[in-house]
Amino acid sequence: MSTERGEQVIDTHYTTVHTLGREKGNKEKHLRYMQKDGKFPVVFHKPAGDWSPYLMDIFTTLVEIRWRVMLLIFSLSYILSWLFFGLIYWLIAYVNGDSDNADEDLCVANVRGFTGAFMYSMETQATIGYGFRSTTENCMVGIIVVTVQDVFSCLLDTIIIGIVVAKMASARKRAQTVAFSNCAVVNLRDGVLCLSWRLGDLRGNHILDGVIRAQLVRYVKKPLGFVVMSYQDLDIKDQNIVLVTPATIIHKLEPGSPLYSLGPDDLLEGYFEIVASFTYSDDSTGMLHQTRTSYTPTEIRWGQCFQDMVKSGKKHYKVDYGLFNETSWVSVPFMSAEEHDRRRCPVEGSPLLPSVKSNGHRGACQVNVDITGEVMNQTFL
């Protein structure tokens, strides 16, 4: 009978909290500090025409641009260089009178117009070498231009190929295969309320060394639309992770934690985000990568825990990533960690608690809190 009553209390409380949260979220939506995929919705306003920061680090600028822009720059860099040197060859042939001379005293052989000059420029820079058009030994200017174009083509190939390879080996692609759970949960671990979320590697080449960090970002709106940001570090248990199997990241809600006084009802009015990052080296390439995500108050599930997803087989450990975001209800007091600690060990003479039963030992206390066991399973995708 008490179990049924407890189930109704927990279910009713959780439903009421999240119904109010949805209604409040529909009325006023707040811009996230960080998107779920780790991107920041930040736009920098600069004076008009100020491109100096991008030009000073042109290689990084070209690596960070989109692929379609990179392919456009890749094509234009070659086509424009062919046109430029083709124009020079045409001017040399025009000044030397190659179009009027038959076969004597030619500067660029078989170049009668701009089309032939463009073809010769493309053949020279791409080292095609058809052998039909060529610069003769009678024209020193033509030989110098061919030498300059050869050196320029080597430099251009080095830059363009280096940028393309850097974009293909970008750490962002590897970071997409390391996933955070869609939500964070609050539950009891060894009698202490803890905030936790899940981290997993979806590829077969495992990450053998990584560091997890988390920060609490609070933002307060000021007049005229200005926002003030504050940052507080969250103490993570076991920051160094060997990510062979999915790991659960744990932050204890204990004295000194910015979330120590946070309760389930405070999630309705909280304007903060928990920004989590995982920095690691890939054993295949040795490159440094980082995966980021954030959790808003509406993405924190109070009174739930992640389901187990690793099983032991005869020869292998089996990881079921279908359960990566799946949670289940557990016995958790619907109160802040600060209030929970006061009820467990209240200060002598404190009027905050209704009734506390002592077991006869000094410093020990026991509170009869009616909380049920596991009630139901629920998946958050």
Side-chain angles (χ1 to χ4, degrees):
M1 188 69 179
S2 61
T3 302
E4 295 178 357
R5 236 184 357 258
E7 293 178 355
Q8 294 176 358
V9 170
I10 292 179
D11 192 24
T12 303
H13 182 91
Y14 185 82
T15 303
T16 304
V17 167
H18 283 268
T19 301
L20 294 175
R22 285 193 299 268
E23 292 177 355
K24 186 178 178 93
N26 292 334
K27 293 180 181 179
E28 183 179 4
K29 293 184 178 180
H30 297 276
L31 182 64
R32 299 181 69 108
Y33 176 76
M34 179 195 289
Q35 304 295 336
K36 293 296 290 183
D37 58 359
K39 297 181 180 179
F40 294 90
V42 178
V43 177
F44 297 99
H45 291 278
K46 297 181 178 295
D50 185 12
W51 292 91
S52 57
Y54 299 98
L55 296 178
M56 291 177 61
D57 191 9
I58 186 64
F59 184 81
T60 304
T61 301
L62 294 176
V63 170
E64 292 180 348
I65 60 177
R66 297 180 179 275
W67 270 108
R68 55 177 176 267
V69 180
M70 183 61 226
L71 293 177
L72 178 63
I73 295 176
F74 178 86
S75 302
L76 288 178
S77 62
Y78 284 101
I79 294 175
L80 293 178
S81 63
W82 296 338
L83 289 172
F84 174 75
F85 285 101
L87 178 63
I88 295 178
Y89 291 130
W90 177 76
L91 290 175
I92 293 175
Y94 178 79
V95 172
N96 192 60
D98 292 350
S99 58
D100 299 330
N101 297 334
D103 294 323
E104 299 179 357
D105 297 330
L106 295 178
C107 193
V108 183
N110 298 315
V111 173
R112 306 299 181 184
F114 179 75
T115 303
F118 174 78
M119 293 295 295
Y120 175 65
S121 173
M122 182 173 60
E123 293 170 9
T124 301
Q125 186 166 333
T127 64
I128 297 176
Y130 290 125
F132 181 68
R133 300 175 182 87
S134 62
T135 301
T136 64
E137 60 184 7
N138 301 324
C139 184
M140 184 59 63
V141 177
I143 296 175
I144 294 175
V145 174
V146 170
T147 303
V148 172
Q149 186 177 9
D150 289 340
V151 175
F152 174 79
S153 65
C154 294
L155 179 63
L156 182 62
D157 291 341
T158 303
I159 296 175
I160 296 298
I161 294 175
I163 293 173
V164 172
V165 172
K167 286 184 67 67
M168 294 178 63
S170 175
R172 298 177 183 176
K173 300 301 181 182
R174 180 64 178 95
Q176 294 178 0
T177 62
V178 178
F180 285 91
S181 57
N182 293 335
C183 64
V185 297
V186 177
N187 49 49
L188 285 173
R189 290 177 178 270
D190 299 328
V192 179
L193 281 173
C194 297
L195 173 71
S196 59
W197 58 90
R198 191 169 258 174
L199 177 67
D201 184 9
L202 305 178
R203 289 180 63 93
N205 52 334
H206 305 297
I207 298 171
L208 302 181
D209 186 21
V211 179
I212 185 75
R213 290 191 59 192
Q215 278 189 330
L216 178 68
V217 181
R218 297 183 185 271
Y219 35 91
V220 180
K221 288 188 177 181
K222 297 293 184 179
L224 302 179
F226 291 98
V227 178
V228 177
M229 301 284 185
S230 64
Y231 307 88
Q232 293 176 286
D233 290 332
L234 298 182
D235 186 21
I236 301 297
K237 181 182 178 182
D238 300 328
Q239 284 188 322
N240 296 320
I241 298 176
V242 178
L243 199 61
V244 177
T245 59
T248 301
I249 313 303
I250 301 173
H251 167 67
K252 291 185 177 181
L253 304 182
E254 54 188 4
S257 170
L259 303 174
Y260 184 57
S261 60
L262 181 71
D265 295 332
D266 298 329
L267 298 178
L268 302 178
E269 301 178 356
Y271 302 112
F272 65 88
E273 284 188 34
I274 298 174
V275 177
S277 64
F278 181 56
T279 306
Y280 53 95
S281 298
D282 189 9
D283 62 344
S284 298
T285 61
M287 297 180 60
L288 192 66
H289 306 266
Q290 187 181 76
T291 302
R292 302 183 298 265
T293 194
S294 69
Y295 299 101
T296 61
T298 57
E299 294 168 344
I300 298 177
R301 313 297 181 183
W302 199 283
Q304 299 185 36
C305 71
F306 291 106
Q307 292 191 2
D308 296 331
M309 54 184 299
V310 181
K311 294 183 179 181
S312 177
K314 294 183 179 179
K315 297 183 179 180
H316 305 281
Y317 290 99
K318 300 179 181 179
V319 180
D320 185 4
Y321 270 97
L323 303 174
F324 186 73
N325 294 303
E326 192 163 330
T327 61
S328 60
W329 289 90
V330 292
S331 301
V332 174
F334 283 89
M335 62 185 71
S336 65
E338 183 179 10
E339 184 179 356
H340 176 61
D341 290 345
R342 285 203 306 266
R343 294 198 179 190
R344 292 175 59 196
C345 300
V347 180
E348 185 177 356
S350 174
L352 296 176
L353 292 179
S355 62
V356 178
K357 297 181 181 180
S358 175
N359 59 5
H361 297 279
R362 180 177 297 179
C365 60
Q366 179 182 358
V367 180
N368 186 12
V369 182
D370 186 13
I371 299 176
T372 65
E374 185 173 321
V375 179
M376 60 181 295
N377 294 339
Q378 186 170 351
T379 304
F380 295 91
L381 299 178

